[in-house]
Amino acid sequence: MARDDAVIGCSGRLLIGTRGPDGPGEVLVSVRGGTEAFLAWSDAPLPTGATVLVVESRGTRQVDVIEWLDPLEAPAG
């Protein structure tokens, strides 16, 4: 399957935490007016429930993610 450019730059929440180089987790991404699940890879382990940003598409419903704190949802102060 070809890479999915529409998902790059979208945010999501990890349904299953990633294990860094030891294996992927699963992320639910807000994209195309709904949500879609992808296998999620990251450089370092990320916990279940973490908010992430998709930085690359590997194709075949697999993406690379980084931990993300949405500046619009950050507490004031």
Side-chain angles (χ1 to χ4, degrees):
M1 179 178 261
R3 119 189 196 121
D4 185 355
D5 288 335
V7 76
I8 297 171
C10 294
S11 63
R13 186 162 309 274
L14 289 177
L15 301 173
I16 299 171
T18 65
R19 294 177 286 148
D22 292 332
E26 185 176 8
V27 63
L28 191 61
V29 178
S30 300
V31 64
R32 292 182 269 272
T35 55
E36 298 180 26
F38 294 83
L39 286 178
W41 294 87
S42 62
D43 290 338
L46 297 173
T48 297
T51 301
V52 295
L53 180 69
V54 177
V55 294
E56 187 60 65
S57 171
R58 295 183 175 203
T60 62
R61 303 203 56 83
Q62 297 185 59
V63 295
D64 291 332
V65 299
I66 58 171
E67 193 163 19
W68 173 251
L69 298 175
D70 188 336
L72 298 177
E73 295 178 11

